[in-house]
Structure formats: C-alpha cells, structure tokens
Amino acid sequence: MTNPLLTDWNTPFGLPPFGAISDDDFAPAVDAALALSRANIAAIADDPDAPDFANTIAALEQADAPLNRVLGAFYSLAGADSNPARDALQRDFAPLLSAYSSEISENKALFARIEALWTARDTLDLTAEQQRVLMLTRRGFVRSGALLDGDAAARLRAVKSRLSVLGTQFVQNLLADERDWVMPLGPDDLGGLPDFVLATARAAGAEKGADGPVVTLSRSLIVPFLQFSDRRDLRQKAYLAWGARGANGGATDNRAIAAETLALRQERAALLGYDSFADFKLETEMAGNPAAVRDLLMQVWNPAKAAAEADAAVLADMLQGDGHTGPLEPWDWRYYSEKRRRALHDLDEAELKPYLQLDRMIAAAFACANRLFGLDFTAIDGPVYHPDVRIWEVTRNGAHVAVFIGDYFARGSKRSGAWCSAMRSQKRLGGDTRPHVINVCNFAKPEAGRPALLSYDDARTLFHEFGHALHQMLSDVTYESISGTSVARDFVELPSQLYEHWLSVPAVLSEFATHADTGAAMPADLLQRMLGAANYDMGFQTVEYVASALVDLGFHNGPAPADPMQRQAEILTEIGMPRAIGMRHATPHFAHVFAGDGYSSGYYSYMWSEVMDADAFAAFEEAGDPFDPATAAKLEKTVLSSGGSVDAAALYTAFRGRMPGVDALLKGRGLAA
C-alpha cells in the first residue's frame, strides 16, 4: 500500500491528509525522507562545480524539504494528540534526527564549500538577504562543531544525540504525570466554586470517565480551583500535585534527566570553546551575554519582590482573619488574592467570565488583524488530527496568504501550555510557498451545548499565540531558514507580547466581549473595572516568572550543578524568594528549558521582549490610534514580514528609531517607583 506521507497531498492547500495517515506510516516515511535528504546533501558536497550561492547555500535550503514535510505532520500530532505509539516514535526519531544533523555539520567537503563562499563573500555580489543567510549558515555549522575533528567531534555527536533523547523523555514524563493525576470532588468538596469552575470540573470528569467533577493538572482547571475553593486542604493537595509534576519518583521522575542534561550542555559548550553553556547560547541573542540578562532580570526583580511582599502581608492578615494559624502558603495566595481583587476592584471572575467567550475572542483577534494588516479569515473544511481542531483560510485583498489552524481545548493527550508552530513555513525559493500555521492552547472544554468561556488571562494567551501566528503568516522572505519566527530567541516574543496589547483596547472589548447567554455587550463599568485591575497582583506574577528565569540562567552560567534541585533552592535563597510564591516552572517540569535547547539560558527572553513590546505599542499611542495605518504598515515591514533576514536590533531600531530601556516595562507592569 502506498504511504500517504510520501505521495502528493490532494487536500485543501496541501494540508497533511491526517485521515489517511496511520501511526505505522511515520517510521517508513521518515526513513525514506532521510534517504532523500542524505542524497541531496551528498550531491551538494560532491558537486564538481566550484561552489556558488545557488549550488551550495540555496541547495542546502531545499535539501530537507521531503523530511520537513513528514516531520511537520508528525510533530503536530505528537505534541497535541499523543498516544503510546507516537510517544515511542518520538523516542526513536530523536537520536535518528540528531545523528543526521551531526552528519551534515561534520561533512568536511560540504563545510569547505561554505567556507570558500564565506571567505569570498565580498566578491559574490550577494543580496543583503543572501549575505545574511550565508552568515547564519556558516555560523550554524561552526556552532554545531564543523571545526572539530577526531575524538572531540565524535564526543560532540554523542552529546547532542543523548540530549535529544533526554529532551524527548522529559516531555513525555511530564505529560504522563499531568495525564494521570486526578482529584475527584464529592458533594462536600465544592464550597466556593462558581458555576463555571464546576462546569469545567464536570467536563474534565466526563473526559476522564469519572462519575462526577474532578480536578486535573490542566492549568485552565487547577488555577481557578486554587482561586475559589474554600477547602484549604484540597487546595494544598492540588497545589502540591501541580508543583510535583516530574518529581514523583519512579519512571516519570525528571530530576536525574535535568542533572544529566545540564552536565551535557556544559560539556557541549566546553567542546566548542565556551566558558559556559550560557555564554554559548547567548552569543547569538540580542542580550549577547549572561551579565546583560542578569542585569535586566535584577532591575525587575527588586521592585517586583517589594510589591509581592507588601501584598503578602495583606493576604496573611486575611488568612489569620479566617482563623488559620501559621504563615501564608503558596496554596493560599490565589484564593486570598481573588478575594482581595473582588474587594479592591469590585471584580468577580464569575461575573466577568461569561463575557469572554472563546469564539468571540477568536473573532476579536481576527478583527484586529484585519484592521491592522488587512487580513481576512474564512472557516474552511479540511483534514484535521482531532475533532476539536478548526481551520481558516487567510487572505488579503482576495489573495491567499496562509492557512491558520486552531486547536484550543485541553485534553489528556495534549502536552500542557500554549504554543505556535508552522506545519509549513513561508518561502519563495523554489516557488511561492504559503505557510500553514497552528496555535495550540489548553483552555477548559465546556459541557456539551455550552460555549467555552475564558479568563482574561486565557484571552491574553489567545492573543499572544496569535501574535506568533501573524509573525509566521506575514513573513515575506526568500529562504525558509530565516522565515517567520526564525529569529533571535529574545526577539521572537516581541510580536506575540505586542499583540496582547490589542486585547486591552476598550473598543475591541466593547465590541467582542458579549455575554454568553444574553448577547449583551460587557457593561462599561465592568469593562473599566476589568481593565483597571489589569496590573493587579503583578508583584506575584513577576516574581514567579523572574525567579524561574534566574534559576534557568544560574543553571547554565557556570559549572553544571550535580544536584539541580539543591542549586534551585540556593538560587531562590540568594534572591530572597518570598516563601508564599512558587516558581512558575520548577525544575522537574520546566519544559521550556529541559524539553530542548530552545529556551535554555533563554527563559528571560519574554522579559527582554517585553521591554520592546511596551515601547512598540507606545508608537500606536503616540499616533493617537491603536489601529493607525501608517504605524501598522511600518510594523509589518520592519518586524513581522522580515523574519530573520536582518539583525533583530536593527529591525527594532528601524521601527522605533532606537532601543528602549526597562522603564517602559516597569511602568506597564505597574512596578515603576
């Protein structure tokens, strides 16, 4: 039987034919695609003609096209709809793909051609984009070990292979812990829970095959449970289970994986001539070095900690007022903070949530993209990997721009968090290829017949991931390696965090925040109260984030710790972590850092980008219109369409005329003195 992954896809816009693909198709398809890619690489390396940009760099850009096609479909499934077969395939593919990558970087004939072009670059009459791609290609080879020989090259290959295996195992362990933990709720366990939390708990129980409501470790359920449950003992049980993901002993424990990962990263950096993994990793980022990252984080840490400690004193008094002895605990913070928010801002989540319907927030994100960039979104039918998945065609002035895919609901087969990826990236080399972009979230799925309701934080997440999607969809470059979000890690969060600002534009909420039952617009006074509370509890939110970023940096900026949990505790003690606040991501479930190299030494990048996003939205405010056409056009031209074709600092400077300081961030978070 013909493998559908290796045939032409006669589907709308060439989407993967998920309905025709079985799990058994992936391994032979990857093997076949790897064979094609290896043949393409050999043809480039052994080309008898003198190297030029077309026969070497451009050819490299297209060498992996068959493999990328197969893997784009596979990893979309593996992250969002896992099963034992797909988990096993991920474990099999990790060392296989790492070995292939090492083969390329160690190919001396291939690197000699790249080096010859690099040496002669000033005589090649290259476009600015080609010069950039040549530089990035050579740099990537060097940072992958192309200059190493003998035992050093062999050891680096082994290190990278092992790291790929460990990253896969880390994610699968975390998913298993999240999937397997359930806390049933009996009739006496429901005190304080509003109807929307009960509905979510009942839907989770139905998904788990339980007879009644349950709490799971899905963020969209456990956070509101911690906010509202009157049962302190159950809040403690739920919080401790949430914090213990990846640290429960047995086969899914991630602590040894974290230790081995850090040791191997340090060895990798040393083999390549760097003092630390942080020095290696940050060399290519906007920050440039660990000292710059720590300086930014500490500028934010001190005012955030002061704000959090002042809030903690108030919440502790509330705890004592309820007759509890002992200190404020992490499982108390959200509960008393929610009570305080209601008192300070007259804002009740149960009153607010019916106005934040998922479908209306999707429509709001689309409408803002239309007003800013002229994009239109039309729902279409097409092949999907799960019934919850939805597809839209994206057009501008009638011309096809992209396919946008949304997968919004939490389920046991989906890893936690929210992310954006491209099943297919934009490029012009070899023909005009338009992207297939997917947003994956973990919002609570409603009971049958009811609309999905979001918290304001959920709605911000939706806008955040859609900002990433716009970066992919509006990409306009020739070469796939610099397309869309292929930019410095501490620049990639700029478009996503910037797009969150449009959710807080009153005119947007006035139009799209409509009641799930009555259809009425959110009352003006409720809208103002909600926006007025936007910075509420910002000390807590900033402390839990910055603590995680400082631990990440501390892990990688120096010798690898033999015991990461001990080192985590030492770092938190050094910075004076408030006892009633936990890290947003403790080490055993810190997937940003241990699922792969993406955010390792780089979790700070959200804050680095936030320095820019606060300043970037100010450009629209200075223009007097959040949808100012000239500013939007400039943003698209300088940032969203350029991908990695220009240095990130140069792109931002082209948009704003200068780089910003941390003051705009502190002001935006309400932490300025």
Side-chain angles (χ1 to χ4, degrees):
M1 183 178 292
T2 303
N3 190 321
L5 287 161
L6 301 174
T7 63
D8 290 336
W9 293 348
N10 297 314
T11 55
F13 305 105
L15 289 164
F18 287 112
I21 299 170
S22 77
D23 290 337
D24 292 337
D25 293 324
F26 283 110
V30 167
D31 287 342
L34 274 171
L36 286 171
S37 293
R38 285 190 168 99
N40 292 338
I41 295 296
I44 300 167
D46 300 337
D47 190 340
D49 293 336
D52 59 30
F53 190 89
N55 69 18
T56 302
I57 304 301
L60 266 176
E61 286 278 329
Q62 301 183 88
D64 287 341
L67 182 61
N68 291 340
R69 185 172 181 258
V70 174
L71 294 178
F74 173 73
Y75 283 111
S76 294
L77 273 171
D81 196 24
S82 66
N83 62 28
R86 292 165 195 165
D87 288 349
L89 286 167
Q90 277 190 287
R91 294 192 294 271
D92 292 342
F93 290 164
L96 199 67
L97 296 172
S98 177
Y100 170 64
S101 176
S102 293
E103 284 175 30
I104 296 174
S105 61
E106 295 173 17
N107 189 316
K108 298 301 183 184
L110 178 60
F111 183 64
R113 296 177 69 86
I114 296 168
E115 195 74 337
L117 293 173
W118 177 248
T119 301
R121 61 191 180 278
D122 293 336
T123 69
L124 299 179
D125 194 27
L126 301 179
T127 67
E129 187 175 342
Q130 289 172 332
Q131 292 174 22
R132 176 78 172 167
V133 171
L134 173 59
M135 183 278 290
L136 292 172
T137 302
R138 181 192 181 270
R139 187 176 76 181
F141 268 73
V142 171
R143 286 170 59 81
S144 295
L147 296 177
L148 299 182
D149 290 302
D151 291 344
R155 180 55 189 162
L156 182 63
R157 185 189 322 126
V159 166
K160 290 193 290 185
S161 178
R162 180 61 179 161
L163 282 170
S164 69
V165 171
L166 292 173
T168 299
Q169 189 62 55
F170 188 97
V171 173
Q172 293 188 355
N173 288 348
L174 179 56
L175 178 59
D177 277 5
E178 291 172 343
R179 182 177 56 227
D180 294 344
W181 189 88
V182 175
M183 183 173 73
L185 297 177
D188 297 332
D189 302 333
L190 309 180
L193 299 180
D195 288 344
F196 76 86
V197 178
L198 290 171
T200 300
R202 286 193 296 267
E207 200 247 346
K208 294 292 186 183
D211 292 333
V214 303
V215 176
T216 69
L217 297 182
S218 168
R219 186 178 185 89
S220 60
L221 176 51
I222 198 166
V223 168
F225 180 81
L226 292 171
Q227 283 178 289
F228 293 104
S229 174
D230 289 342
R231 288 283 302 275
R232 193 182 190 213
D233 58 331
L234 296 183
R235 295 201 311 270
Q236 178 180 2
K237 181 179 179 181
Y239 182 87
L240 292 176
W242 196 29
R245 291 169 293 159
N248 288 302
T252 63
D253 197 294
N254 276 332
R255 286 171 288 190
I257 290 176
E260 186 180 357
T261 297
L262 293 173
L264 290 173
R265 285 177 179 163
Q266 174 63 19
E267 184 179 0
R268 177 183 177 187
L271 285 166
L272 293 168
Y274 294 87
D275 291 337
S276 72
F277 186 80
D279 288 301
F280 164 71
K281 188 67 186 298
L282 295 172
E283 178 185 52
T284 60
E285 307 301 333
M286 294 182 74
N289 59 74
V293 173
R294 184 170 178 83
D295 179 62
L296 169 70
L297 293 174
M298 293 309 296
Q299 285 187 67
V300 178
W301 173 258
N302 291 317
K305 179 186 171 188
E309 288 175 335
D311 290 338
V314 176
L315 301 184
D317 286 344
M318 296 171 68
L319 173 76
Q320 304 295 328
D322 278 351
H324 296 292
T325 58
L328 183 75
E329 300 287 359
W331 48 87
D332 296 319
W333 190 292
R334 288 177 173 85
Y335 177 74
Y336 286 101
S337 182
E338 177 63 26
K339 286 180 174 292
R340 186 182 180 212
R341 184 176 76 145
R342 260 179 275 173
L344 289 177
H345 296 280
D346 189 23
L347 194 64
D348 185 345
E349 186 85 4
E351 177 189 13
L352 178 64
K353 203 156 186 175
Y355 290 98
L356 298 176
Q357 301 176 65
L358 171 61
D359 284 351
R360 295 295 290 159
M361 292 300 101
I362 294 171
F366 289 174
C368 291
N370 176 265
R371 292 187 64 181
L372 288 164
F373 309 115
L375 300 177
D376 293 300
F377 298 80
T378 304
I380 61 171
D381 292 324
V384 295
Y385 56 79
H386 189 278
D388 288 343
V389 176
R390 302 157 70 178
I391 310 176
W392 292 266
E393 182 190 6
V394 187
T395 59
R396 180 153 56 182
N397 298 323
H400 178 73
V401 171
V403 172
F404 176 65
I405 302 155
D407 181 1
Y408 295 108
F409 295 129
R411 52 180 172 268
S413 61
K414 183 189 288 187
R415 65 179 171 90
S416 61
W419 64 93
C420 174
S421 60
M423 289 190 195
R424 186 174 82 183
S425 296
Q426 179 272 330
K427 62 184 176 70
R428 290 197 298 273
L429 183 66
D432 185 16
T433 300
R434 303 309 308 166
H436 298 162
V437 186
I438 181 168
N439 276 180
V440 183
C441 298
N442 270 281
F443 303 140
K445 190 171 184 178
E447 295 178 287
R450 295 294 301 161
L453 305 180
L454 306 182
S455 66
Y456 190 66
D457 186 58
D458 288 337
R460 256 202 320 260
T461 297
L462 187 148
F463 268 67
H464 178 101
E465 298 305 333
F466 192 72
H468 282 308
L470 288 172
H471 202 182
Q472 296 275 19
M473 292 188 286
L474 293 173
S475 177
D476 185 21
V477 298
T478 301
Y479 303 99
E480 185 173 357
S481 63
I482 54 169
S483 175
T485 56
S486 298
V487 299
R489 180 64 61 178
D490 47 11
F491 189 68
V492 77
E493 297 298 336
L494 169 62
S496 54
Q497 293 180 182
L498 174 59
Y499 205 67
E500 293 178 34
H501 287 270
W502 276 276
L503 176 63
S504 63
V505 172
V508 173
L509 288 167
S510 295
E511 180 177 358
F512 291 98
T514 55
H515 198 279
D517 295 324
T518 68
M522 182 183 289
D525 69 313
L526 178 57
L527 174 60
Q528 291 307 312
R529 281 183 276 138
M530 182 180 74
L531 294 178
N535 281 332
Y536 176 70
D537 216 15
M538 192 55 72
F540 169 87
Q541 295 178 41
T542 307
V543 161
E544 63 165 5
Y545 164 77
V546 175
S548 296
L550 286 167
V551 168
D552 167 40
L553 184 66
F555 278 163
H556 296 98
N557 187 26
D563 183 347
M565 299 306 295
Q566 179 182 336
R567 182 64 185 131
Q568 172 185 295
E570 291 170 353
I571 294 169
L572 297 180
T573 299
E574 289 165 7
I575 62 176
M577 182 73 170
R579 73 175 311 280
I581 303 179
M583 292 169 61
R584 183 170 298 178
H585 304 289
T587 298
H589 53 86
F590 206 164
H592 279 81
V593 170
F594 292 104
D597 280 354
Y599 283 90
S600 56
S601 300
Y603 192 61
Y604 76 92
S605 59
Y606 291 93
M607 189 140 284
W608 191 275
S609 292
E610 189 176 342
V611 170
M612 292 180 286
D613 83 63
D615 179 69
F617 191 71
F620 288 89
E621 295 174 326
E622 291 161 13
D625 179 2
F627 296 99
D628 178 64
T631 309
K634 190 175 184 181
L635 176 67
E636 179 178 351
K637 180 180 179 180
T638 56
V639 176
L640 295 176
S641 70
S642 296
S645 62
V646 178
D647 176 75
L651 288 176
Y652 189 82
T653 302
F655 177 58
R656 278 297 265 160
R658 40 108 183 111
M659 291 298 294
V662 74
D663 293 346
L665 179 150
L666 293 174
K667 179 181 177 183
R669 285 186 170 240
L671 299 173

